[in-house]
Amino acid sequence: MADELLVFEQTIEALFLRALHGRLTPACKSRLRQAGLDVDQKLRPAYAFPSWMAFLRIAAEELFPQEAIGPGTWKLGEAYIEGFRETMLGRAVLSLLRVLGPRRTLMRATQNFRAGNNYTESKLVELTPTQFELWMNEVGDYPDFTAGIIHAGLRVAGAQDVKVEPSGYDGHACTYRINWKEASVSSGVAGSGDSKAAMRSGSISSL
C-alpha cells in the first residue's frame, strides 16, 4: 500500500461534480469547503484519504438526513457509478465491464478501483460461478460506500438480483459476500462476456 493514501481527481469529479450536480445545497457546499473540497473551483489532482472520508460523511448527512450513515453512503456508492459513467475514463471502464461480465469484472477489482486511488488491493475467492468473497484492504470508515459501488458496477456488467453483504470489517479492510443471478441470453443484457471470454482463453485468470 502507498505511504500516503490518495484519492484522485477523477473520483471526486465523478461523485461530486457529476452524480451530485445540482443536489448540493449551499450548506452542504459550505461544509465541504471547510473540509477541503470546493466544488465550485478547479479540483486538485488528488486528495488525502481522511479528507475523502470527511467528504463522504458530509454528503451522506446532507443528502440523506433521515438515513443512518451506512445506507446513506451505500446510496452515494451507487450514485458514484452513475457519475463515473459521465466521465471520459468512466465511459471506457464501464463499457469494458459490459463486455467482461460480472465474474471477470470482480477479478479486475484492484485495477478498477486503482483508476481512482493509489491504495486499493483486493483478493477474490470464488465459491460458485455467481458467488464470491471479495476482500479489500482499505475501505475507510464507510464500507457500505464501496458495497454500493460494487452493487451498481455488477449491474452494469450484466448481473441481476445482485446482493452485496459487507462482513469482517475491521475499520480498514472488509470482505464482501457477493452473489447474483446471471442475465438470460434472451434479455439482451451485456454480461455474457464471462463465458465467451473463457471459451476463447480456455480459462479465467484471477487477480
Side-chain angles (χ1 to χ4, degrees):
M1 188 189 300
D3 292 335
E4 182 181 9
L5 277 58
L6 297 173
V7 174
F8 301 145
E9 174 184 1
Q10 54 262 36
T11 299
I12 305 296
E13 177 190 357
L15 182 59
F16 288 95
L17 301 191
R18 305 286 186 166
L20 303 183
H21 177 71
R23 299 177 61 187
L24 301 177
T25 65
C28 184
K29 287 185 177 182
S30 177
R31 290 185 63 190
L32 288 170
R33 193 177 303 113
Q34 291 173 12
L37 174 61
D38 190 337
V39 298
D40 295 321
Q41 299 295 325
K42 180 177 174 59
L43 297 177
R44 300 201 298 267
Y47 293 79
F49 184 72
S51 297
W52 169 238
M53 291 294 102
F55 304 159
L56 291 180
R57 174 179 52 79
I58 291 167
E61 289 173 351
E62 291 288 335
L63 292 174
F64 311 109
Q66 305 305 318
E67 301 270 13
I69 194 69
T73 52
W74 180 299
K75 289 180 178 179
L76 289 178
E78 292 195 308
Y80 169 82
I81 292 294
E82 292 306 312
F84 190 49
R85 190 195 306 270
E86 297 180 14
T87 68
M88 183 177 300
L89 175 63
R91 284 192 294 272
V93 171
L94 295 182
S95 294
L96 177 61
L97 300 193
R98 294 188 188 96
V99 174
L100 293 176
R103 190 182 186 200
R104 288 171 67 87
T105 290
L106 282 179
M107 291 175 176
R108 287 177 49 87
T110 296
Q111 297 96 312
N112 292 337
F113 277 84
R114 279 292 183 102
N117 66 54
N118 72 336
Y119 55 83
T120 293
E121 297 173 4
S122 67
K123 296 177 183 178
L124 189 67
V125 176
E126 180 175 351
L127 305 176
T128 76
T130 59
Q131 292 183 312
F132 290 81
E133 289 185 349
L134 176 65
W135 173 87
M136 302 189 73
N137 64 316
E138 181 60 82
V139 297
D141 300 328
Y142 310 113
D144 286 319
F145 174 74
T146 300
I149 291 177
I150 295 168
H151 186 269
L154 287 175
R155 291 180 64 187
V156 170
Q160 295 182 336
D161 297 329
V162 182
K163 293 181 174 58
V164 181
E165 178 186 356
S167 67
Y169 172 60
D170 65 3
H172 295 280
C174 186
T175 297
Y176 296 92
R177 296 174 179 170
I178 304 164
N179 64 81
W180 68 86
K181 292 181 180 178
E182 292 284 9
S184 64
V185 175
S186 61
S187 70
V189 177
S192 59
D194 286 341
S195 58
K196 292 178 181 178
M199 290 174 64
R200 287 195 299 268
S201 65
S203 65
I204 296 178
S205 61
S206 59
L207 293 173

